[in-house]
Amino acid sequence: LTICFFIVLLIYFLLSQYYVSSLGNMYTYIINPLFFIIMAIILKFTVASPYKTNKYKKDFIQYILITVLLYSFLYLLSGILTGYGTNPYATSIRGIVFNLYSSGLIIVLKEYIRYKLINNVFKKDRNLICVLAIIVFTIQDVNIASILNNINMYYLFKSIFYVVIPSLIKNVLFTYIELYTDFIPASIYQLLSYALLWL
């Protein structure tokens, strides 16, 4: 069952990379949220909740808050050296609500799905499932179509070091966190990081 869910996610991620630009707002505001809502509901009712003591959850949340504050400070400080650009996100109240719906909701649902899937297996299979989760969620961050359309050494080098490796590290971190706590610390990390841009 877990492998089947990962296959569905992988197919969806790959299809969305090829058709996202042609569907525009319909994908952003209807298809993508609907897919993750349906996946989360199915997992909620088909996968039993794992027994967790959550003894590390409070510590993880504290470390994440410190990390996000440090990241935000360095991010804003770097603007002094490189200059500040125009925020690509909508900054009106309506825009912030749309950002929270189209991106914030997806972040929470994706982390919930990852949490349910990596904790839905026996302990002996957990390492393999964690590796699978890291690969599938990294593929979602990497625009494979763009890499295949621009095959040259510069673009490949830039894609590996600017997109693939950071995404891989991020997914290793979130998978590790969700293995020992639940989806809330990873969601907080991402929501607060994006809130800096959204707000």
Side-chain angles (χ1 to χ4, degrees):
L1 183 65
T2 302
I3 297 291
C4 287
F5 277 119
F6 274 121
I7 290 169
V8 170
L9 281 172
L10 185 61
I11 291 168
Y12 176 75
F13 292 158
L14 291 172
L15 284 175
S16 66
Q17 287 182 8
Y18 284 98
Y19 296 110
V20 65
S21 57
S22 61
L23 296 173
N25 286 342
M26 186 176 171
Y27 170 81
T28 306
Y29 297 113
I30 299 170
I31 297 171
N32 202 34
L34 203 58
F35 172 80
F36 285 106
I37 289 168
I38 291 168
M39 276 287 284
I41 290 169
I42 291 170
L43 282 167
K44 172 77 177 166
F45 293 108
T46 59
V47 174
S49 296
Y51 172 74
K52 293 274 183 186
T53 58
N54 279 343
K55 60 181 179 178
Y56 302 115
K57 187 174 174 179
K58 188 177 176 185
D59 292 337
F60 268 105
I61 290 174
Q62 287 176 347
Y63 297 145
I64 281 167
L65 289 174
I66 292 166
T67 304
V68 170
L69 286 172
L70 183 63
Y71 165 78
S72 302
F73 175 74
L74 292 173
Y75 183 79
L76 293 172
L77 191 65
S78 69
I80 295 170
L81 303 173
T82 60
Y84 293 99
T86 305
N87 188 348
Y89 296 97
T91 53
S92 64
I93 298 294
R94 184 174 175 231
I96 290 168
V97 169
F98 276 125
N99 290 337
L100 285 171
Y101 168 71
S102 66
S103 299
L105 177 68
I106 303 301
I107 285 170
V108 175
L109 292 174
K110 262 199 288 192
E111 295 313 318
Y112 177 77
I113 290 167
R114 184 200 320 249
Y115 163 70
K116 292 291 273 188
L117 290 176
I118 63 175
N119 290 292
N120 186 42
V121 292
F122 294 114
K123 210 166 187 177
K124 63 183 177 66
D125 300 324
R126 200 162 283 161
N127 288 341
L128 177 65
I129 293 300
C130 285
V131 170
L132 187 61
I134 291 164
I135 292 168
V136 168
F137 282 94
T138 300
I139 287 171
Q140 186 253 331
D141 291 339
V142 178
N143 192 338
I144 295 169
S146 179
I147 292 171
L148 292 175
N149 290 335
N150 300 288
I151 296 180
N152 61 59
M153 287 307 291
Y154 169 73
Y155 192 80
L156 196 61
F157 184 83
K158 185 180 174 185
S159 297
I160 288 169
F161 287 95
Y162 186 70
V163 180
V164 177
I165 292 176
S167 174
L168 196 62
I169 292 168
K170 178 188 80 172
N171 283 298
V172 168
L173 173 67
F174 294 158
T175 303
Y176 176 79
I177 288 171
E178 287 165 20
L179 199 57
Y180 290 100
T181 61
D182 61 17
F183 67 99
I184 293 171
S187 300
I188 289 172
Y189 179 90
Q190 291 192 83
L191 287 172
L192 289 179
S193 299
Y194 280 106
L196 182 68
L197 298 173
W198 294 337
L199 302 176

